[in-house]
Amino acid sequence: MIILDSKEKQDNNIALRRDVKFLGHLLGDVLVHQGGRPLLDKVERIREVAKSLRENSDNSVYKELKDEIASLEQPMREQVIRAFAVYFHLVNIAEQNHRIRRRREYQHQDESVMQPGSLESAVTSLKKNGISPDVIEGLLETLSLELIITAHPTEATRRSVLGIHKRIANLLNRMDHPVLTRREREDLEERLFNEVMILWQTDELRDRKPTVMDEVSNGLYYFDETLFEVLPQIHQELENCLQENYPEVDWQVPNFLRFGSWIGGDRDGNPNVTPKVTWQTLNKQRKLALRKYKQSLTQLLKVLSQSTKRVTVTDELLDSIKTDISILSENERWKVEHEVYRCKISIMLKKLELVGKNELGYQNSGEFLQDLFLIQRSLQSHQPKEYTLKNLRKIIRQVELFGFHLATLDIRNHSGEHEAAIKELLHSVNLAEDYSSLPEKEKVRILGEILQDPRPLVSFVEDYSEETKGILQVFQTICNAHKEFGERSIEVYLVSMTKSASDLLEVLVLAKEAGIYRLHADGQIESKLNVAPLLETIDDLTAGPHIMEQLFQLEFYRKHLAEQDNLQEVMLGYSDGSKDGGTLTANWKLYKAQQEIHDMAKKYNVRLKFFHGRGGSLGRGGGPLNRSILSQPAETLGDGVKITEQGEVLSSRYSLYEIAYRSLEQAASTLLTAAAKVSSEAEQSNIRTKEWEEIMDKVSADSLMKYQTLVFNDEDFLTYFKQATPLPELGALNIGSRPMSRKGSTRFEDLRAIPWVFAWTQSRQLLPAWYAAGTGLQSFAKHDGNLPLLQRMYENWPFFHSTIDNLQMALMKADLLAAKEYIAMVKDQEVAQRIFTEIETEYNRTKDIILQITEQKDLMDHIPNIKASVRLRNPYVDPLSFFQVEVISKLREANENLPNEELLREALLTINGIAAGLRNTG
């Protein structure tokens, strides 16, 4: 087996550079056509000066760039801003196309050459390391990766624009075809020009905030376009690889990779997510699943033309047709009676059409699945076993994965909402005068007594507040959804800002009132909802093990868990922890919380599934999916992993089939090898030492102190943040249905992590992704003999390796040359200079220590492709940053008198452009 590393692939970027140059020329032609030669000349002039400034930071060149930008007026200024923004969209498309190209190059190689991170290389590694088939079969039984799409408002690009991107990507991909004729190439070039022209002529800004149902449609787009096809293919590829390496076993890979959703179920801080919206979401998801099945069955109907005059089919197939044929009218029945598979599929199509309408339709996906198995068994009776029909196998896998519900919808709400409802309910039945003021021990006692009493708490004659009625309605909706869409439609209820055991017990009490949790007369508990804490702040993460142990010690809670197959889900929030204590401290606290909760749960024989609430950006736990998995404590991977996929991550990973396949293949192969402890990374994770953990405790403590000294203790910091970033303008971008802050508050504590990170990213400082890490690391490294310890940790500990690599990626993307421009927007320049100097000093400190730990000359030397990409982008992002400062300064000045819509539009265009240039928002 040969697996090429990144150094051996550096010469393969010629095709990428060719694509970028070609698309750049097309954009140039569009600019001339739409704005005349002066527009192109102005764009090229600014680009050349910005590039020159990067190569030689001369003051005269800096002044020249500033003058070029300051001299522009409307409409030319807006067109120049858009030109740079559109250029980045085209570069991103070219880079995605190159990833597809590279994957295909590997597939054309000799069998001994495998792409790193592929399922083929993972299974070959298992075989090479002597892992037996029995071990793999046992592993696959527990292996689980769930990816949850969310509507977090970080996708700055409109769906219409994403559609154009996809068409350009498909055309660019076809340009690689080796036997294109001259005419075909000319046709493709003309169509690409037209698409770039359409992209230029399309408004990239939303004119209104999306509704929750708009967001639901956006999420379902990825199921429709790629996921419905990709997920079965990942499972099939793993099955094929296992069959090739372990031919003595007849492999049947279970469904270990699934997608779920929060969109339409995430109520935390979003008043627009109502029970009605949740119901509409479930309906919309079912409609898509049924449509996809109808399409697949229609294709199968065309293929299965076998006649009973030529083959003998099973009696059960013939009997099922006789039983169900009456649901079809004479006109709907298949006309050729001896083509029995087509007769059966015609009935199945009718049953799908009637789902949710009457009792003649399938009552659940299990009934549909049984009909598919019935066809499969009949086909196997007259087809060679080794040539099973792949189309049918794929549909069966799709039904197993997606059911009629398509994606399991998680419900999330803030713990305070439940407490307020419980307070009112208990007051109305004289169980507690003021529940909220009770000590935790008393709360747990009262809630425990209610959960162990079969009598209901809610009185239907009582007139509760609208808020309490709303909460009760949520749980009734879950109960109804289980009946209408199946219990897989909603399985988990997440409690945001979990502070204590009572926060979870309150949810169980509310579930009991809706009949989702029941106590039977014989003492048995029936519970159909997994209640999961969301541990977000540094304090919550520290308290997490104690909170969970309190619950595990309660007998009735253990009975509830038994109904969940003794599996407790625990969600870890990366965003608020990072905002609360800095990225290094947050990541260490998250790691420790997993270890401690896992070790504690083992005492009670409780299995754990950790749900990682990672954002797309580095400041919110983002990074490559496979690296996210590998950086977790190895012992926590066995019972499943759940990870959020948010905002711009969805379009970058799942818009195109081959990119989606590659992303999921890397994640699946990483989880497989790490869980089997056979890859070098997984083996290394087992040799972390107590000493290393103690080192991280010290580094984290020093980092936390440094972070909080600036962010919480400097009275001018919040003013600097609001004035030196485009935070006030972000709300006008209309990228999400959820408000930017909780309760509409202006307090730092209530500001959501997404705009916090988004604003810092725009100002090129990326502070949440790296700040204070340098102080923590340097404070330890400065003592004799400590630097080699950190170097060994980097080399041998996946968690530390991933943390350091994310830090250097953040430092690489941050750019203080451009960031310095933003301090001009701060009214008090003395404050601006003081805080920026502090940020700049910490940046240099962090960069220096990371270079020492990684033993590199420059950041990202070990991943030259990414390093080259960032460096090539910077000269093009710089003008957008300069424009942003220029336009926002004018906008804020104008707003003191009268809002200026033109300036606001230009500011939003720069935000979109920088987001595309850095490939990150929040």
Side-chain angles (χ1 to χ4, degrees):
M1 174 182 67
I2 301 170
I3 300 180
L4 301 183
D5 62 29
S6 59
K7 289 183 179 177
E8 293 171 294
K9 300 183 282 190
Q10 288 181 57
D11 295 334
N12 293 325
N13 289 331
I14 295 169
L16 171 61
R17 290 195 290 272
R18 181 197 66 211
D19 286 350
V20 171
K21 189 175 181 181
F22 171 64
L23 292 172
H25 281 153
L26 289 183
L27 177 59
D29 292 343
V30 167
L31 295 181
V32 170
H33 186 275
Q34 294 291 283
R37 189 76 206 181
L39 173 58
L40 179 60
D41 289 344
K42 180 58 72 174
V43 169
E44 283 297 298
R45 178 65 189 146
I46 290 173
R47 183 185 68 83
E48 287 169 8
V49 178
K51 192 175 178 182
S52 177
L53 183 61
R54 280 277 159 186
E55 293 165 354
N56 176 25
S57 54
D58 185 272
N59 200 50
S60 62
V61 179
Y62 169 77
K63 187 176 183 304
E64 187 178 355
L65 180 59
K66 291 277 286 185
D67 290 344
E68 285 283 355
I69 286 170
S71 67
L72 285 175
E73 299 288 341
Q74 270 284 35
M76 177 70 86
R77 183 171 59 215
E78 181 178 320
Q79 289 183 308
V80 172
I81 290 169
R82 292 191 69 226
F84 280 100
V86 170
Y87 173 77
F88 279 124
H89 288 299
L90 296 176
V91 170
N92 291 343
I93 292 168
E95 288 189 347
Q96 283 200 318
N97 186 59
H98 193 58
R99 282 190 69 193
I100 294 170
R101 180 186 290 128
R102 292 303 318 285
R103 181 169 176 264
R104 288 181 176 170
E105 285 171 2
Y106 274 110
Q107 291 172 329
H108 285 120
Q109 297 270 4
D110 181 84
E111 286 182 4
S112 62
V113 180
M114 300 180 194
Q115 189 169 16
S118 65
L119 286 167
E120 186 181 20
S121 69
V123 175
T124 304
S125 174
L126 297 179
K127 179 78 171 178
K128 185 180 176 183
N129 283 274
I131 302 300
S132 70
D134 289 345
V135 170
I136 297 172
E137 284 185 302
L139 178 67
L140 289 173
E141 286 302 317
T142 59
L143 197 70
S144 168
L145 175 60
E146 290 175 77
L147 300 169
I148 309 299
I149 65 170
T150 78
H152 283 58
T154 59
E155 175 55 84
T157 311
R158 286 182 63 209
R159 266 278 299 281
S160 299
V161 174
L162 290 175
I164 301 169
H165 289 181
K166 184 164 187 175
R167 296 199 297 272
I168 293 173
N170 288 334
L171 291 169
L172 194 61
N173 186 269
R174 288 170 62 185
M175 291 282 283
D176 276 347
H177 201 288
V179 291
L180 280 178
T181 66
R182 180 171 61 84
R183 292 289 184 208
E184 287 171 334
R185 183 169 294 279
E186 287 172 355
D187 177 63
L188 285 173
E189 288 177 357
E190 182 180 333
R191 290 171 68 185
L192 276 164
F193 173 81
N194 287 334
E195 290 295 350
V196 176
M197 178 71 82
I198 291 168
L199 181 61
W200 178 260
Q201 293 172 342
T202 299
D203 191 357
E204 53 272 82
L205 298 177
R206 296 180 176 91
D207 59 1
R208 62 174 178 83
K209 279 187 177 292
T211 65
V212 178
M213 293 314 296
D214 289 335
E215 292 173 332
V216 170
S217 296
N218 290 343
L220 294 183
Y221 170 84
Y222 301 104
F223 285 90
D224 198 5
E225 290 293 314
T226 58
L227 297 177
F228 211 78
E229 298 296 319
V230 169
L231 261 65
Q233 190 57 42
I234 292 286
H235 288 85
Q236 187 60 53
E237 174 65 11
L238 178 56
E239 209 165 271
N240 293 345
C241 292
L242 287 167
Q243 205 65 60
E244 287 172 11
N245 283 273
Y246 299 91
E248 67 274 19
V249 178
D250 184 15
W251 289 96
Q252 301 291 324
V253 171
N255 302 302
F256 68 92
L257 176 61
R258 296 179 188 274
F259 270 74
S261 177
W262 273 13
I263 312 175
D266 184 8
R267 296 170 52 82
D268 182 20
N270 193 345
N272 303 304
V273 180
T274 62
K276 181 181 178 183
V277 163
T278 298
W279 193 262
Q280 289 173 337
T281 300
L282 293 168
N283 249 321
K284 202 173 181 74
Q285 289 184 177
R286 181 168 68 181
K287 282 181 182 176
L288 175 58
L290 294 175
R291 175 165 63 79
K292 300 297 278 188
Y293 294 142
K294 288 174 191 173
Q295 290 171 356
S296 297
L297 279 187
T298 302
Q299 290 301 312
L300 201 61
L301 183 140
K302 293 175 182 176
V303 173
L304 297 183
S305 57
Q306 291 97 327
S307 166
T308 49
K309 294 180 179 181
R310 297 283 180 264
V311 297
T312 301
V313 299
T314 60
D315 289 339
E316 65 172 344
L317 174 64
L318 297 173
D319 290 344
S320 73
I321 293 171
K322 287 177 188 173
T323 301
D324 293 336
I325 194 71
S326 60
I327 72 166
L328 297 177
S329 67
E330 286 296 327
N331 289 333
E332 291 172 322
R333 296 178 187 184
W334 190 255
K335 303 306 181 211
V336 185
E337 289 186 8
H338 55 80
E339 291 180 350
V340 289
Y341 292 114
R342 288 174 164 175
C343 292
K344 177 65 178 176
I345 291 170
S346 298
I347 294 168
M348 293 168 71
L349 283 166
K350 183 67 175 180
K351 283 188 164 188
L352 284 175
E353 188 183 316
L354 296 175
V355 168
K357 296 176 183 175
N358 61 45
E359 69 282 354
L360 295 177
Y362 287 117
Q363 296 305 297
N364 53 62
S365 62
E367 292 182 2
F368 179 40
L369 196 58
Q370 287 310 309
D371 272 350
L372 290 169
F373 282 134
L374 188 148
I375 291 175
Q376 186 182 52
R377 286 193 295 273
S378 183
L379 284 168
Q380 286 169 345
S381 71
H382 59 76
Q383 295 283 106
K385 186 184 176 186
E386 60 271 25
Y387 291 100
T388 53
L389 197 67
K390 286 193 174 180
N391 282 4
L392 179 58
R393 287 168 63 192
K394 186 175 80 171
I395 301 172
I396 288 171
R397 179 76 75 174
Q398 285 170 331
V399 179
E400 290 173 340
L401 286 166
F402 301 106
F404 285 168
H405 65 290
L406 187 71
T408 297
L409 186 68
D410 286 351
I411 306 295
R412 180 172 77 136
N413 209 348
H414 195 283
S415 58
E417 300 279 323
H418 311 127
E419 183 178 296
I422 291 291
K423 176 182 177 179
E424 185 173 353
L425 293 176
L426 296 186
H427 181 77
S428 71
V429 292
N430 295 317
L431 278 179
E433 183 65 29
D434 184 6
Y435 170 80
S436 297
S437 66
L438 295 176
E440 173 65 9
K441 191 174 180 180
E442 184 65 9
K443 286 181 178 178
V444 171
R445 184 190 66 77
I446 292 173
L447 298 171
E449 287 177 358
I450 295 168
L451 289 168
Q452 294 173 89
D453 185 340
R455 292 172 298 178
L457 186 67
V458 174
S459 166
F460 291 100
V461 296
E462 194 72 37
D463 187 22
Y464 301 112
S465 66
E466 289 301 315
E467 290 79 11
T468 296
K469 284 193 280 191
I471 290 290
L472 292 172
Q473 194 181 352
V474 170
F475 287 87
Q476 192 57 55
T477 299
I478 296 170
C479 183
N480 294 341
H482 284 173
K483 295 172 186 172
E484 178 68 21
F485 304 102
E487 289 178 14
R488 281 177 61 193
S489 63
I490 298 174
E491 294 180 334
V492 179
Y493 195 108
L494 292 149
V495 185
S496 294
M497 288 295 169
T498 296
K499 305 284 184 187
S500 59
S502 61
D503 289 332
L504 271 65
L505 298 180
E506 287 162 5
V507 172
L508 280 183
V509 168
L510 293 165
K512 174 174 173 279
E513 296 309 306
I516 310 166
Y517 174 103
R518 287 180 180 172
L519 177 66
H520 294 289
D522 61 1
Q524 290 300 306
I525 284 175
E526 183 183 348
S527 187
K528 298 177 180 177
L529 198 62
N530 194 328
V531 182
L534 170 46
L535 306 174
E536 299 175 82
T537 67
I538 298 296
D539 289 343
D540 297 343
L541 290 168
T542 304
H546 175 67
I547 293 171
M548 298 316 300
E549 184 156 28
Q550 275 188 294
L551 291 165
F552 296 164
Q553 288 172 343
L554 300 171
E555 186 182 351
F556 65 87
Y557 191 82
R558 294 294 306 283
K559 287 182 178 179
H560 151 72
L561 280 183
E563 288 289 289
Q564 313 300 321
D565 199 20
N566 273 326
L567 181 69
Q568 173 70 58
E569 188 167 307
V570 177
M571 184 171 185
L572 304 168
Y574 285 67
S575 302
D576 283 288
S578 181
K579 175 171 162 267
D580 191 32
T583 185
L584 191 143
T585 298
N587 276 284
W588 178 236
K589 293 291 186 183
L590 286 157
Y591 189 92
K592 281 189 73 176
Q594 290 176 74
Q595 275 185 310
E596 291 169 8
I597 295 172
H598 177 270
D599 292 345
M600 178 273 297
K602 276 177 71 177
K603 294 190 302 184
Y604 297 91
N605 293 316
V606 173
R607 300 184 301 122
L608 287 172
K609 179 189 288 183
F610 285 107
F611 182 4
H612 302 275
R614 293 175 174 269
S617 64
L618 294 168
R620 295 180 51 240
L625 189 54
N626 56 321
R627 202 161 70 202
S628 298
I629 294 167
L630 205 56
S631 63
Q632 310 310 322
E635 64 268 29
T636 67
L637 299 176
D639 292 321
V641 178
K642 195 169 169 182
I643 302 176
T644 51
E645 291 283 63
Q646 302 180 5
E648 78 276 17
V649 168
L650 293 176
S651 60
S652 65
R653 284 184 186 156
Y654 304 118
S655 288
L656 302 174
Y657 176 90
E658 295 204 52
I659 297 291
Y661 183 93
R662 178 62 180 152
S663 296
L664 294 174
E665 175 187 50
Q666 285 178 308
S669 63
T670 300
L671 183 60
L672 180 64
T673 51
K677 297 180 173 63
V678 295
S679 74
S680 59
E681 293 89 349
E683 287 168 357
Q684 289 160 6
S685 71
N686 288 331
I687 65 165
R688 64 171 186 257
T689 66
K690 189 71 178 170
E691 182 186 22
W692 293 355
E693 294 178 357
E694 289 170 356
I695 288 169
M696 277 307 302
D697 284 335
K698 293 173 187 173
V699 168
S700 170
D702 288 336
S703 178
L704 177 64
M705 186 180 296
K706 177 69 175 177
Y707 180 86
Q708 294 191 334
T709 297
L710 176 65
V711 176
F712 290 99
N713 300 339
D714 190 317
E715 61 183 15
D716 298 318
F717 176 76
L718 196 54
T719 301
Y720 173 88
F721 167 57
K722 289 178 178 177
Q723 294 180 7
T725 71
L727 178 72
E729 289 72 32
L730 292 181
L733 200 53
N734 291 332
I735 60 175
S737 67
R738 194 169 72 165
M740 283 210 317
S741 64
R742 293 179 175 91
K743 313 166 194 171
S745 164
T746 58
R747 295 191 321 143
F748 178 75
E749 290 79 2
D750 292 324
L751 176 69
R752 292 194 178 277
I754 290 169
W756 162 252
V757 173
F758 200 158
W760 284 115
T761 304
Q762 285 287 311
S763 69
R764 310 287 293 279
Q765 296 173 68
L766 274 77
L767 181 139
W770 60 267
Y771 186 79
T775 291
L777 293 165
Q778 188 67 258
S779 65
F780 178 78
K782 68 184 180 184
H783 299 291
D784 285 347
N786 283 358
L787 179 60
L789 266 174
L790 294 176
Q791 290 168 340
R792 280 201 298 278
M793 288 163 63
Y794 177 72
E795 188 177 340
N796 296 310
W797 189 11
F799 162 75
F800 193 69
H801 191 97
S802 176
T803 300
I804 295 298
D805 280 357
N806 281 342
L807 286 170
Q808 63 173 322
M809 172 69 86
L811 293 170
M812 188 82 193
K813 285 190 171 187
D815 192 278
L816 297 195
L817 178 70
K820 200 166 187 176
E821 289 300 299
Y822 287 81
I823 65 176
M825 299 195 298
V826 181
K827 291 178 181 178
D828 187 331
Q829 278 298 293
E830 188 178 332
V831 167
Q833 292 294 338
R834 177 177 65 78
I835 293 180
F836 183 79
T837 300
E838 171 57 41
I839 292 170
E840 189 175 37
T841 302
E842 181 64 14
Y843 177 92
N844 291 326
R845 180 184 293 121
T846 307
K847 180 180 176 181
D848 288 345
I849 187 59
I850 282 181
L851 290 177
Q852 291 177 58
I853 291 169
T854 59
E855 299 180 271
Q856 299 175 122
K857 289 183 179 178
D858 205 354
L859 296 170
M860 303 301 291
D861 275 348
H862 67 310
I863 312 179
N865 286 353
I866 293 178
K867 178 181 176 181
S869 176
V870 174
R871 284 194 162 166
L872 285 170
R873 285 164 180 266
N874 275 339
Y876 298 87
V877 183
D878 291 346
L880 287 169
S881 294
F882 278 70
F883 273 119
Q884 190 171 90
V885 172
E886 174 82 10
V887 170
I888 288 178
S889 297
K890 289 182 177 181
L891 176 65
R892 290 177 182 175
E893 189 179 326
N895 279 350
E896 290 178 1
N897 304 310
L898 191 67
N900 188 312
E901 290 299 321
E902 278 190 357
L903 287 171
L904 177 60
R905 177 178 174 76
E906 288 179 27
L908 298 180
L909 287 169
T910 65
I911 291 171
N912 259 356
I914 292 171
L918 298 178
R919 300 204 78 166
N920 265 129
T921 51

